[in-house]
Amino acid sequence: MRLLTRYLSREIYVSLTLVFTALLMLFAFFDLLGELNDLGRGGYSITYVLLYVLLTVPTRIYELFPVAVLIGTILLWCRWRQILN
């Protein structure tokens, strides 16, 4: 039973990490594109744009974690269903 628990835990964590990383990178890219419109106005350089995107990452983590858990779990169920058939 311990081996099964370890296997399931590892599968859940891998699935969650992949989905969470992909969502976080996608939203950071969208934030970067949104801030590029203001680039060059009033001394707003690329350094400040990247700093802004970097500082908004913790908020995105808080917002995206429930969605990542939901999507990761659904993907994991689909993968298990393919293995069982």
Side-chain angles (χ1 to χ4, degrees), residues 15-16 19 23 64-77:
S15 177
L16 176 65
V19 170
L23 283 175
L64 291 175
F65 190 73
V67 176
V69 169
L70 180 66
I71 295 172
T73 304
I74 290 171
L75 289 176
L76 184 64
W77 284 346

Side-chain angles (χ1 to χ4, degrees), residues 12-30:
I12 290 170
Y13 290 139
V14 166
S15 177
L16 176 65
T17 303
L18 289 175
V19 170
F20 189 59
T21 303
L23 283 175
L24 196 60
M25 290 172 57
L26 182 68
F27 275 80
F29 180 69
F30 288 152

Side-chain angles (χ1 to χ4, degrees), residues 49-65:
V49 170
L50 293 175
L51 184 62
Y52 172 78
V53 171
L54 183 66
L55 291 176
T56 58
V57 168
T59 303
R60 292 291 181 201
I61 289 172
Y62 180 75
E63 293 172 349
L64 291 175
F65 190 73

